[in-house]
Structures are given as structure tokens and as C-alpha cells.
Amino acid sequence: MVATLQVYLYLIFFLVIFALCVWALVDLLRRPTAAFPSAGKRTKSFWGAILGVATAVSFMSIPPPIGLGFLSFLGLLSAVGAIVYLVDVRPAVAPYNRRRGPRGPSGGW
């Protein structure tokens, strides 16, 4: 009973890490390339490489019924890459959209 619970918790833990990496990668792909240097962050291709590798490693870390089940210690590092992007880079490039530079204050008096 306890061993089965541990396996399910382990599976859920690595599925959450994989979902986090996929979310960060999809968000990255939606951002314009020029937003990254304008916001003072590394290039989009740098973050694309980091998040692409993180997503692949996090998939390989998922236990065998779904993933490959190895490199689990690197799965934790992939979560770090995704979290750094989502917490630091994403808010910095969020004001930029595809057509123009940073958005001005919305609404306002």
C-alpha cells in the first residue's frame, strides 16, 4: 500500500514537472524574438535551447508507464530551468506583443 502510494506520488511529481516545462516552452514560442533583448534578457534561441532540453529531459524522467524512467535527478534541474523562465523572463517580456513594442499603461485616468 505505501509503496504503491509512493509510486503514484513520484509519477504525479514528474508529470507536474513535465507540464511546467511544456507550459514554459509554449509560452516562449508565443513571444516575439525582439522582446528578449529589449527586456534585457538572453535571446529567444538561448531560452528555446534551455527549455527544449528541459522538456525532453523531464519527459525522460517520467516513470515507465508513460515516460522512459531514467535521468530522474536531471528532471529536477529541468524544473529549475522552467521556473527561472516563468518567474524571471516571462514577466519581463510579457509587455511586448508581436506588432509593436511594449504596451502602454492599460486604461488609466
Side-chain angles (χ1 to χ4, degrees):
M1 173 78 177
V2 173
T4 305
L5 181 62
Q6 286 178 339
V7 169
Y8 285 129
L9 287 175
Y10 185 74
L11 176 65
I12 290 168
F13 180 68
F14 281 103
L15 284 174
V16 167
I17 290 174
F18 178 65
L20 191 69
C21 290
V22 169
W23 176 31
L25 185 62
V26 168
D27 184 76
L28 171 85
L29 295 175
R30 294 180 55 223
R31 304 291 172 189
T33 305
F36 290 85
S38 296
K41 300 299 175 185
R42 295 269 189 148
T43 63
K44 183 176 181 176
S45 51
F46 172 81
W47 284 107
I50 295 288
L51 294 175
V53 169
T55 304
V57 168
S58 67
F59 178 75
M60 288 188 280
S61 300
I62 298 173
I66 298 171
L68 301 175
F70 61 95
L71 300 176
S72 61
F73 63 96
L74 291 178
L76 299 174
L77 290 177
S78 64
V80 170
I83 289 169
V84 166
Y85 173 80
L86 290 171
V87 171
D88 183 42
V89 179
R90 182 176 183 248
V93 298
Y96 297 88
N97 64 19
R98 292 205 177 270
R99 290 187 212 138
R100 47 196 161 117
R103 288 185 232 150
S106 60
W109 287 75

